[in-house]
Amino acid sequence: MTSEIERERRRLTTVAADALSRFRRFVAEGGKFRVAVVNACNLDCFFCHNEAMANPRRLGKAAGRGRLSLLELAKLSSAYAALGGAQINVTGGEPLAERGLFEFLDALEEREARVVLNTNAVLAERLLERPKIAKITGILASVHTTRDDQFRERLGGKSAQAVLRNVVALAEHGYAVELNYSLGPYNRDEFSEVLDFSQRSGLPLKAIALVRPHEDPGFYGGDWVDPRWLERVLAKRGAREVGRQSALGGTTTTYDLGGTRVKVKNVARGRLRTDFCRGCQHESSCGEGIYGLRLGVDGLFKPCLLRQERFTAIDPERGYAEQILEQISAMVGAWERAEFRGGAPG
C-alpha cells in the first residue's frame, strides 16, 4: 500500500512539473490571459466576438451579472500572476462600462504581470476623471475607423472623432496607449487615415486581421483580408522593418515609421498549431491558432473561441492555480510537436 501511494505521489509530482513547464512555455511565447469583466458594451461592432459570451445587445436585452463575481475574477487573475504570468488583458464587453472595474483592479494582485485594458475609449472620461491608475500598465484602444459615418453604421457608435480625442487624452493623462486596428473589407481603405492619426499623435499602432469566433460564413463582412498589403503601404511611406516574431497568436512584423512603432500581425504568415489543435474541424478557418486563455463573468475557461466543446466551467471549490495550469497545459501540449503553419484562414 505504501509503495502504491508513493508511486501516485511521484506521478502527480511529474504531472505538476510538466504543467508548470508548459505554462512557462506559454508565457515565453507571448500567451495572454484575457479576463472579461462585463458582458455588455456601448457599441455594437458587427465583428465582435465578445469573448464568446452571448451578446446581450444582439439579443435585445440587458446584460445579467453573470455566474462569476468580479472578486472571483480578480482571484483567478491573481493566481495567474502568482504562477508567473506576464500579461493580463482586461476585456469585456467594454470594461469601462462596468462600474465595478476599479474594485476589480483594487483586488487584483498583479505581481510582475502587465495589466492591459482593452477599450473602445468611448467612456474614457471614467478614467480621466480620476488620477492615473498605476496598476494599468497599458491601454489597447480600438481605432478601426476615423470616419463618423462608418463608426455609426458598422460599429454602432456616434463619433469616431470623439474617440480619437479620448485616445489622445488618455495618453496625455499618463497612460501607455497603443492603437488597435482590426482589418476587414469594410475598413481596408481606412488604414492610411488610421496610420496618419498614429503618426500625428505619436501613438504606436497594431494592425491585425479580424479573428473568426464562429463558423458564420459572413462573419468577416466579406472575404478575409490578408494584411500583407498593409506592409506595402508602410514601405511606400518609408517604414523600416525592425523585427519579426512568430509567437502565440501569429507572426508579427514591427516597423519604425519616423519614430512611430507600427506592428502588423498576419496569421497567414504563420499561426501556431499544438496538440490541442489536432483533429480540429475548424483548422482551415482558424484565424488565430493558440493564443490566450479566456475567462469571464460567464464562469467559463475558453482555450479557443472556435472550440466551444472545450469550454470548461470554473470550479470555485478547486484551486484556481491548478485549474489554470490544467487549461494551459492542454493548450500547449508537447512543445516538440508544435508548429507554425501559414496560409489564409478560409
Side-chain angles (χ1 to χ4, degrees):
M1 184 67 171
T2 302
S3 61
E4 291 178 7
I5 292 174
E6 184 57 34
R7 280 197 299 272
E8 180 64 10
R9 184 181 292 118
R10 286 198 298 268
R11 186 189 70 80
L12 292 174
T13 300
T14 301
V15 168
D18 287 345
L20 278 170
S21 176
R22 292 176 179 184
F23 178 88
R24 294 187 186 107
R25 173 63 67 175
F26 176 84
V27 172
E29 297 294 331
K32 304 296 188 296
F33 193 71
R34 297 177 62 91
V35 185
V37 296
V38 63
N39 182 22
C41 187
N42 49 341
L43 296 183
D44 190 19
C45 302
F46 74 93
F47 55 81
C48 180
H49 56 64
N50 204 42
E51 301 295 336
M53 297 183 292
N55 191 327
R57 190 161 176 173
R58 304 274 169 86
L59 298 174
K61 62 182 181 181
R65 290 306 304 165
R67 304 175 193 172
L68 215 61
S69 71
L70 292 181
L71 179 58
E72 291 304 313
L73 283 178
K75 289 179 179 178
L76 277 151
S77 303
S78 300
Y80 178 78
L83 285 166
Q87 182 164 314
I88 297 166
N89 284 62
V90 182
T91 72
E94 168 51 48
L96 288 176
E98 172 53 61
R99 291 290 187 178
L101 170 66
F102 304 110
E103 287 72 22
F104 165 83
L105 291 171
D106 285 342
L108 173 62
E109 298 177 13
E110 77 280 15
R111 302 195 183 213
E112 301 302 314
R114 298 181 71 244
V115 178
V116 177
L117 184 69
N118 291 54
T119 177
N120 59 40
V122 172
L123 300 173
E125 189 62 35
R126 294 183 179 179
L127 283 175
L128 297 172
E129 66 188 7
R130 59 179 66 214
K132 178 182 178 294
I133 301 172
K135 195 169 287 189
I136 298 176
T137 50
I139 290 179
L140 269 177
S142 297
V143 177
H144 308 307
T145 179
T146 64
R147 290 169 41 186
D148 285 349
D149 59 341
Q150 209 168 73
F151 193 64
R152 288 191 299 270
E153 293 166 13
R154 305 308 299 271
L155 309 184
K158 293 181 179 179
S159 172
Q161 291 299 311
V163 168
L164 301 186
R165 291 191 292 272
N166 285 349
V167 168
V168 171
L170 287 169
E172 292 174 344
H173 202 60
Y175 288 107
V177 178
E178 182 176 48
L179 310 179
N180 198 33
Y181 168 81
S182 291
L183 169 69
Y186 84 104
N187 71 342
R188 61 177 296 157
D189 294 333
E190 270 284 279
F191 178 67
S192 292
E193 284 69 26
V194 173
L195 190 57
D196 287 342
F197 172 69
S198 172
Q199 288 195 276
R200 285 197 310 271
S201 60
L203 296 175
L205 169 65
K206 181 171 73 173
I208 63 174
L210 294 176
V211 175
R212 183 189 295 278
H214 47 65
E215 285 297 279
D216 180 351
F219 167 74
Y220 290 114
D223 293 334
W224 183 82
V225 178
D226 190 325
R228 204 166 318 197
W229 69 274
L230 302 183
E231 299 169 358
R232 295 193 291 272
V233 173
L234 289 164
K236 288 180 180 179
R237 293 201 180 197
R240 180 171 56 92
E241 183 176 327
V242 294
R244 182 173 293 184
Q245 181 183 24
S246 290
L248 274 73
T251 299
T252 300
T253 307
T254 303
Y255 299 87
D256 179 84
L257 181 59
T260 301
R261 191 182 77 246
V262 180
K263 295 180 180 178
V264 178
K265 186 166 81 168
N266 189 350
V267 296
R269 287 193 181 277
R271 52 198 185 274
L272 186 64
R273 295 289 183 267
T274 69
D275 288 339
F276 183 89
C277 307
R278 300 193 189 286
C280 178
Q281 63 178 323
H282 308 296
E283 184 170 357
S284 64
S285 59
C286 177
E288 190 170 62
I290 295 300
Y291 168 64
L293 179 60
R294 292 172 161 90
L295 67 155
V297 289
D298 57 351
L300 299 174
F301 284 118
K302 301 159 193 169
C304 173
L305 288 173
L306 282 170
R307 301 196 65 177
Q308 295 195 18
E309 81 279 4
R310 298 294 294 268
F311 290 3
T312 306
I314 296 164
D315 186 349
E317 302 301 320
R318 293 180 59 209
Y320 286 154
E322 178 186 1
Q323 294 179 70
I324 291 168
L325 285 175
E326 286 176 356
Q327 292 291 321
I328 291 177
S329 178
M331 292 168 68
V332 172
W335 189 252
E336 62 272 15
R337 293 195 292 266
E339 60 179 336
F340 281 89
R341 295 186 190 173

